[in-house]
Amino acid sequence: MLRAPLCAAVTRTQQMEQLHPYWRMDYIAAPRYPETERPFTDLPALGDDARALIVHRSRLSYVLMNRYPYNPGHLLAIPYREVTDLDQLDAAERADLSDSILYAKKLLTATLRPDGFNIGYNLGSAAGGSIAHLHAHIVPRWQGDSNFMPVIGQTRTLPQSLDTLWARLREVAATLADQNDAEPPNNDSSEHK
């Protein structure tokens, strides 16, 4: 039996399709926060939660929008103290971080109404950790949200700018605080400078 080489199976020339999301230029050209070796320590100290994309602060941790999200609304829960693993947190820090993760999930549910979540940690560079400061990923998911773009085009499409989504998350956070008779998220970063 003769077999043609595998590469001969593709005989027609494939053409690249062009996407023209002109609105993305505003995002690309927007000023960025200062590059830093320790962003999860430095961002809370900026004193500008909108610039830092911090959507919630608690006593020992905070919730931040991921600047390079896997999906729209991808949040990070981060302890203020710089550690690299869960076992380095004391009991109060672990409880506070867990509460921040639950708060982030509740906030995303109220704001974006996802069908599910991926929640977890990348501990160590071999596991995908890119910043040596413990942080949990809270990624909202929708039925059918994985499409060809990340697989074939090495591109993620985000339907809303980070600044616009930050404003919406803060708006919903204020209503959640009212519903729970809790204080709204603290904008004052002076305790954690």
Side-chain angles (χ1 to χ4, degrees):
M1 174 192 295
L2 295 173
R3 291 187 180 179
L6 183 60
C7 63
V10 178
T11 56
R12 64 181 173 84
T13 304
Q14 294 182 359
Q15 292 195 0
M16 177 70 70
E17 294 292 325
Q18 301 296 317
L19 295 177
H20 297 276
Y22 299 116
W23 56 270
R24 293 284 292 153
M25 197 61 205
D26 291 339
Y27 172 73
I28 292 166
R32 301 291 185 248
Y33 66 95
E35 293 299 321
T36 174
E37 297 281 324
R38 302 168 59 214
F40 294 158
T41 301
D42 296 341
L43 286 171
L46 283 177
D48 183 351
D49 284 359
R51 186 170 175 222
L53 297 178
I54 294 172
V55 297
H56 173 74
R57 290 176 179 264
S58 66
R59 194 170 68 81
L60 300 173
S61 63
Y62 65 100
V63 176
L64 170 79
M65 291 179 66
N66 191 331
R67 289 185 184 277
Y68 307 100
Y70 298 135
N71 259 0
H74 180 170
L75 299 178
L76 304 173
I78 307 162
Y80 288 110
R81 192 163 65 90
E82 190 172 22
V83 298
T84 58
D85 208 325
L86 288 164
D87 59 5
Q88 296 169 331
L89 296 174
D90 64 33
E93 290 169 318
R94 281 192 305 273
D96 190 82
L97 184 60
S98 181
D99 287 346
S100 287
I101 292 167
L102 291 173
Y103 177 84
K105 182 178 176 284
K106 183 176 182 178
L107 177 60
L108 289 169
T109 298
T111 306
L112 301 176
R113 294 177 175 53
D115 297 322
F117 289 90
N118 290 122
I119 298 175
Y121 300 90
N122 298 331
L123 302 176
S125 60
S130 58
I131 297 175
H133 187 141
L134 180 68
H135 56 283
H137 295 262
I138 303 94
V139 183
R141 301 298 305 269
W142 292 267
Q143 295 295 333
D145 66 5
S146 293
N147 60 38
F148 69 94
M149 289 298 290
V151 176
I152 296 172
Q154 298 298 307
T155 303
R156 294 192 201 292
T157 55
L158 302 173
Q160 192 171 47
S161 75
L162 293 176
D163 293 336
T164 302
L165 184 54
W166 180 87
R168 177 71 179 128
L169 288 168
R170 291 297 293 228
E171 178 185 313
V172 173
T175 64
L176 288 177
D178 290 343
Q179 290 171 4
N180 293 330
D181 282 333
E183 293 181 5
N186 182 2
N187 290 329
D188 179 21
S189 63
S190 59
E191 181 181 342
H192 300 285
K193 285 190 177 180

